[in-house]
Amino acid sequence: MSGILRLGRLELRVLDLEESVKYYTDVIGLEVTGREENRVYLKAWDEYDHHSIVLQKADTAGMDHMAFKVKDIYELEKLESKIEQFGCQLSRVSKGTRLAEGEAIRFQIPTGHYMELYTDIEQVGTKTGSLNPHPWPDGLRGIAPHRLDHALLTGDDLETATRFFTEVLGFKQTERIVTVDGEVLVGSFLSATNKAHDLAFVKGPDGKFHHAGFYVDNWYDVLKAADILTKNNVQTEITPTRHGITRGLTIYFFDPSGNRNEAYTSGYMSYADFPTITWTEDKIATGIFYHRRELVESFNKALT
Amino acid sequence: MSGILRLGRLELRVLDLEESVKYYTDVIGLEVTGREENRVYLKAWDEYDHHSIVLQKADTAGMDHMAFKVKDIYELEKLESKIEQFGCQLSRVSKGTRLAEGEAIRFQIPTGHYMELYTDIEQVGTKTGSLNPHPWPDGLRGIAPHRLDHALLTGDDLETATRFFTEVLGFKQTERIVTVDGEVLVGSFLSATNKAHDLAFVKGPDGKFHHAGFYVDNWYDVLKAADILTKNNVQTEITPTRHGITRGLTIYFFDPSGNRNEAYTSGYMSYADFPTITWTEDKIATGIFYHRRELVESFNKALT
Amino acid sequence: MSGILRLGRLELRVLDLEESVKYYTDVIGLEVTGREENRVYLKAWDEYDHHSIVLQKADTAGMDHMAFKVKDIYELEKLESKIEQFGCQLSRVSKGTRLAEGEAIRFQIPTGHYMELYTDIEQVGTKTGSLNPHPWPDGLRGIAPHRLDHALLTGDDLETATRFFTEVLGFKQTERIVTVDGEVLVGSFLSATNKAHDLAFVKGPDGKFHHAGFYVDNWYDVLKAADILTKNNVQTEITPTRHGITRGLTIYFFDPSGNRNEAYTSGYMSYADFPTITWTEDKIATGIFYHRRELVESFNKALT
Amino acid sequence: MSGILRLGRLELRVLDLEESVKYYTDVIGLEVTGREENRVYLKAWDEYDHHSIVLQKADTAGMDHMAFKVKDIYELEKLESKIEQFGCQLSRVSKGTRLAEGEAIRFQIPTGHYMELYTDIEQVGTKTGSLNPHPWPDGLRGIAPHRLDHALLTGDDLETATRFFTEVLGFKQTERIVTVDGEVLVGSFLSATNKAHDLAFVKGPDGKFHHAGFYVDNWYDVLKAADILTKNNVQTEITPTRHGITRGLTIYFFDPSGNRNEAYTSGYMSYADFPTITWTEDKIATGIFYHRRELVESFNKALT
Ligand SMILES: [Ca+2]
Ligand SMILES: [Ca+2]
Ligand SMILES: [Ca+2]
Ligand SMILES: [Ca+2]
Ligand SMILES: [Fe+3]
Ligand SMILES: [Fe+3]
Ligand SMILES: [Fe+3]
Ligand SMILES: [Fe+3]
């Protein structure tokens, strides 16, 4: 109910830019909408804005920053003031720093990740258009998600991170994982929308990136995604399954730099009066991988 | 981005209360959460509030009123003041008028339908609970939708109705159908959430009810719904298909009093910056029934 | 349990050969495997033989003939002798009459349709190959069915036709539609395999073609087929639904010459001891279109 | 093309009869059709014969025998003679040995498993009946498969086993796994029908049982199966995925005695002219678990 619209973009660090572009276009099925020397901009077919993923050539993999789009400049200013009150130091990203983007504000969240808020980005429209549109366009390739959906990060102090996102940025907490004694928050799922989550944290090292979730339409499209990953010899961490948390249907895999991706669908709708669901840590594996009921070893280790 | 959370409930007029309860429990698969002499209260398994459907014994079918839940009393008062400024006459529904509900405000929208706004209703929780929940409960019956999703009404002046919902109540218009000359709005799809619609209007007589949409999970569940309707000999208007508008997957059918119901899934997500999609009236049939590409005769006629 | 393997090919008469090839490749998604002056040969991606559909340029639409592949020359000779005993006049189609085919025998079945039996056809393999194959190939277009599945024809004397296929050719009757008094057979579903049907008849004029059924994988692929038909402006007779008969999931539509096509999936398995299911004629509409429960007018009329 | 219709029944040894009955009825969703002191007989809702699974109280888990139904006594006698010629010693199981069954012949196949052939068993019909049937019955519980579909066994000499099933019993080999040098057969998939397999072998100890496959309708039903297994705390070996071999969609899990079960769907159709697909052993893991591309450790070890 804050002015935050959605996770508008992720800038990911990748080791080999061309190999990464090939992967994000052929396997994920995004389209390139812009190029600079060290950055490539991409969007999913069903997104309106100029890009949702920015690939940045870098020496280490990971998330450069995540950026949430805000409704308008008025909401952005209100958020800016609340963020400063919380004690975060803000900097300003000037228009033209990145392609097709206007000004943004940038700051570090309590877990050390860089985050931006912005309202100004060129809108290029979806592939189906806005006049008598067909439900999907011809010529889709790869997994072809509808959109970038959410991100999962790790951090040490999830209580503070949750407080920042709920009290300052107006997210609601849809689900939380707590130690059995109820003392420590080890997972926190946060929604700025009616989705089950737009952002989530699991306990781990500060500043690390766990995965970017792309939204596909249904369980058959998760199967199609899984088939495509094998056909393209992409490293897959978890084969098609359900999350207990969010009830979503999912598959986890890795981009060529080791950044984890997810094809995700079918989480529940949450409204602002949604009562937070609690998972106790003894059930965490069921919460994460509902069918497997145990974590895979890499889940907590493969972070970028 | 207003404080409106969702279409919280519909009170439907039905001719035979017991026959209707049997239909809404056995075929739709809602559960009864309360009874009064002339009203029965029901909810879907995945809804938190005490009820979303109220069946009212009456001499004619139709919608007594629709009610949207508002985030809190502060947002409710802001909306109340804007509604009065628009020129609507407000009345107050006192706590205890209906079971498990607190106070509400009631008014007529420009199309003559009665609408209520409220924030206070008993929350009874979903069937799966909020502690280490399974994704779905045992013992489901019938179509078993997740929730009441949206309503479609008819009215004569859709420009004014749209202005009321967007300017006063803070909905956005996700899609619109206009005459080919662009002069007259003949369909208007409105969202207070990230859903493709929470409420819609098609041009027709003021004050009439077209359908209540219930959300099911996927296209196989639309098939299951269709099978259940035939097994229960329920009158079906449109067999499984896609709406061009919202891209949703759907089936239309009628309750024993002739109120149209829908099992619906998979419409797109809309954010507050969603650019309104336009359908020209020559494509209206494709917009409504994407595969059939012509309306069924009853679509505009079977209104209650 | 006879030596008949399957409906191996249909030769369809089409009015405009190039327009038809475009439709069968772009919309249905078959691939062209051979061309002659007045014939084009096509196969589905998951078929091994050189072709399953032959399009023949002609002045009227319809089925030139249907051909069933027989296991070997020994079985073919046994069938040949039984067909002659039944009183059918046989002719021989010599090798080279059509591309990639060996010799065949040709005869008229009791309903006046031409039928061929053959065992010799060039095998070209599927698109996924037979060594460590992926489950589906890249580059599929259109509806992209796995295979030609079955045909439905009309005829006047279905008792005799059924006797011919069961007693002479070794099919079993999986389902039958009879008048309410049980006197007349008005529908007959026949299987030479473990499928619910390979061939079917409904009562109507002798010698006419009702439809060719192509097999798709699942209900979401029926939806995809329906979407593709609208995107390509193809005339659709029945939108996604279930047949009561065979339980199959289906959509009916027409090729540019008016020959009806079907995308079909999910009928039951039948074994040789399958007890024939009976539909009484008062339930015929539910048997044909399980959700609609009434026939569309064109069902009995649009014959080629 | 032999007279063999299908894998008609499996008799499984279980340690605790009542616990096993509870599992096979509540979780798998079979129905009990008969009981004796040490045996319980069960069938799936869509099977016609009296039973397809017999649970036998025993001290060790495993398969007592598998039995294939033969078309008629004439075919049975032909098979009997060929089996004896192959050198197997036959015994006769007399009518009344087990409930609702007529006489059977029993013998050991080259891998040491006991097998029976029979033609006489009481036919009780499906739950939907054979007169104007609905596509599925009310009151289904659990995974609710259509039928017992196939079995997978282990054995040492798969060349001989394959020869027995193809040359003596008339199966075709649809797929085979060979060592990279092509010298040794380490997997053999055999079909007596148009299914991708009715019986399969992987190299391992003689006489052991790997799994019984139950057929469900589609990929969403595999998901439902997986959800049900977690809800019932059933040990699951592989979560929803695809087999490269057969292309089937699958989940593996264990009954309370440790006998592996599978919910399986969507393998391809095979006809008698189906060219055997070859997998080289270096790709065996992709052939078995197409998405995971490596075996789970228990795959070769959890045998009963
Ligand atoms: Ca802390
Ligand atoms: Ca007007
Ligand atoms: Ca007759
Ligand atoms: Ca050997
Ligand atoms: Fe995720
Ligand atoms: Fe609707
Ligand atoms: Fe058909
Ligand atoms: Fe299997």
Side-chain angles (χ1 to χ4, degrees), chain B residues 65-82:
Chain B
H65 76 282
M66 62 178 172
F68 283 79
K69 189 172 185 181
V70 176
K71 192 186 175 194
D72 53 34
I73 195 72
Y74 172 73
E75 296 287 345
L76 187 55
E77 278 168 11
K78 285 200 295 185
L79 289 166
E80 185 174 342
S81 137
K82 293 174 78 175

Side-chain angles (χ1 to χ4, degrees), chain C residues 53-79:
Chain C
I53 293 289
V54 184
L55 302 178
Q56 179 198 110
K57 185 168 162 44
D59 292 331
T60 57
M63 182 182 84
D64 175 88
H65 76 282
M66 61 178 174
F68 284 78
K69 189 172 185 182
V70 177
K71 193 185 175 195
D72 53 35
I73 195 71
Y74 172 73
E75 296 287 345
L76 188 56
E77 278 168 11
K78 285 200 295 185
L79 290 166

Side-chain angles (χ1 to χ4, degrees), chain C residues 186-239:
Chain C
V186 297
S188 190
F189 297 77
L190 300 159
S191 173
T193 64
N194 294 118
K195 298 188 306 191
H197 61 346
D198 293 289
L199 181 64
F201 292 92
V202 290
K203 197 166 176 72
D206 272 347
K208 287 294 183 181
F209 177 70
H210 192 276
H211 72 260
F214 294 95
Y215 196 83
V216 297
D217 190 65
N218 64 72
W219 179 232
Y220 268 97
D221 282 349
V222 174
L223 174 63
K224 191 187 73 168
D227 286 347
I228 287 170
L229 295 172
T230 293
K231 292 176 84 165
N232 286 278
N233 208 24
V234 172
Q235 192 195 342
T236 300
E237 185 180 46
I238 191 80
T239 55

Side-chain angles (χ1 to χ4, degrees), chain C residues 139-259:
Chain C
L140 295 178
R141 276 170 314 167
I143 293 170
H146 286 273
R147 62 173 186 271
L148 173 64
D149 188 75
H150 65 271
L152 177 58
L153 310 174
T154 62
D156 178 53
D157 181 356
L158 302 190
E159 286 86 355
T160 303
T162 300
R163 203 153 53 76
F164 178 74
F165 278 93
T166 56
E167 295 176 13
V168 176
L169 299 182
F171 285 61
K172 65 183 175 288
Q173 188 187 39
T174 52
E175 308 209 26
R176 64 190 189 117
I177 313 170
V178 291
T179 49
V180 177
D181 60 12
E183 292 290 304
V184 184
L185 185 65
V186 297
S188 190
F189 297 77
L190 300 159
S191 173
T193 64
N194 294 118
K195 298 188 306 191
H197 61 346
D198 293 289
L199 181 64
F201 292 92
V202 290
K203 197 166 176 72
D206 272 347
K208 287 294 183 181
F209 177 70
H210 192 276
H211 72 260
F214 294 95
Y215 196 83
V216 297
D217 190 65
N218 64 72
W219 179 232
Y220 268 97
D221 282 349
V222 174
L223 174 63
K224 191 187 73 168
D227 286 347
I228 287 170
L229 295 172
T230 293
K231 292 176 84 165
N232 286 278
N233 208 24
V234 172
Q235 192 195 342
T236 300
E237 185 180 46
I238 191 80
T239 55
T241 193
R242 185 193 286 281
H243 291 309
I245 296 166
T246 77
R247 290 183 203 154
L249 306 174
T250 182
I251 180 168
Y252 281 162
F253 45 102
F254 296 97
D255 82 2
S257 306
N259 295 307

Side-chain angles (χ1 to χ4, degrees), chain C residues 66 70 75-94 103-109 113-118 164 168-169:
Chain C
M66 61 178 174
V70 177
E75 296 287 345
L76 188 56
E77 278 168 11
K78 285 200 295 185
L79 290 166
E80 186 175 341
S81 135
K82 292 174 80 175
I83 293 162
E84 284 178 324
Q85 277 169 40
F86 187 82
C88 290
Q89 204 170 330
L90 281 172
S91 66
R92 213 156 286 275
V93 181
S94 59
E103 201 179 66
I105 58 171
R106 185 174 178 112
F107 49 95
Q108 266 186 301
I109 61 172
H113 300 86
Y114 284 95
M115 176 167 169
E116 296 186 9
L117 294 177
Y118 67 102
F164 178 74
V168 176
L169 299 182

Side-chain angles (χ1 to χ4, degrees), chain D residues 149-152 189 197 200 210-214 243 250 252 262 264:
Chain D
D149 188 75
H150 65 271
L152 177 58
F189 296 77
H197 62 345
H210 191 276
H211 72 260
F214 294 95
H243 291 309
T250 182
Y252 282 162
E262 179 185 30
Y264 173 89

Side-chain angles (χ1 to χ4, degrees), chain A residues 150 152 197 211 213 243 252 262 264:
Chain A
H150 66 270
L152 178 58
H197 61 345
H211 73 262
H243 291 310
Y252 282 162
E262 179 185 29
Y264 173 89

